[in-house]
Amino acid sequence: QLQLVESGGGLVQPGGSLRLSCAASGFTLGPNAIGWFRQAPGKEREGVACSGTLTLYTDSVKGRFTISRDNAKNTIYLQMNSLKPEDTAVYYCAAGVTTSLDATWYDIWGQGTQVTVSS
């Protein structure tokens, strides 16, 4: 079974921080490209960050979010700082072969975790 399981979402105030975790099972994370995506109600799924042969961030999160992985723990992370209300969305982790902010390149997906930024 190929699976990604997310944790770390929740409710935070503007300016706060969260770290999302995504634990992989059934496959080795190291050789894969990894990505984080988000989708807000009524909006298209957006590539937030990805890492593999290169590292990319969407402009709205540059300088605030950091994607990383711990191969020994087979886990993906997204550190989110200086959170804004417009960051509110369901966040998904993903793994695949090609490093891209286009979701269609990824084969294995987490279930999604809600991040809400509000006063």
Side-chain angles (χ1 to χ4, degrees):
Q1 184 181 12
L2 307 180
Q3 190 173 13
L4 294 168
V5 179
E6 298 164 333
S7 61
L11 174 65
V12 297
Q13 294 183 335
S17 297
L18 283 175
R19 188 177 75 160
L20 305 183
S21 299
C22 181
S25 61
F27 70 103
T28 300
L29 190 60
N32 287 275
I34 57 172
W36 286 94
F37 300 81
R38 67 186 181 187
Q39 189 164 21
K43 297 182 67 177
E44 184 178 316
R45 183 172 296 190
E46 176 187 26
V48 175
C50 62
S51 181
T53 56
L54 71 165
T55 301
L56 297 171
Y57 298 92
T58 192
D59 285 343
S60 64
V61 309
K62 286 180 179 177
R64 299 189 297 122
F65 290 12
T66 303
I67 186 171
S68 64
R69 73 177 87 195
D70 186 333
N71 288 335
K73 297 180 179 178
N74 216 28
T75 299
I76 306 164
Y77 302 99
L78 184 68
Q79 179 66 47
M80 305 185 294
N81 298 326
S82 302
L83 283 161
K84 304 174 180 179
E86 53 262 44
D87 295 317
T88 296
V90 177
Y91 283 72
Y92 301 87
C93 62
V97 175
T98 301
T99 307
S100 176
L101 290 175
D102 183 344
T104 63
W105 286 102
Y106 293 83
D107 300 310
I108 308 170
W109 288 84
Q111 79 285 355
T113 185
Q114 178 70 46
V115 172
T116 302
V117 185
S118 176
S119 299

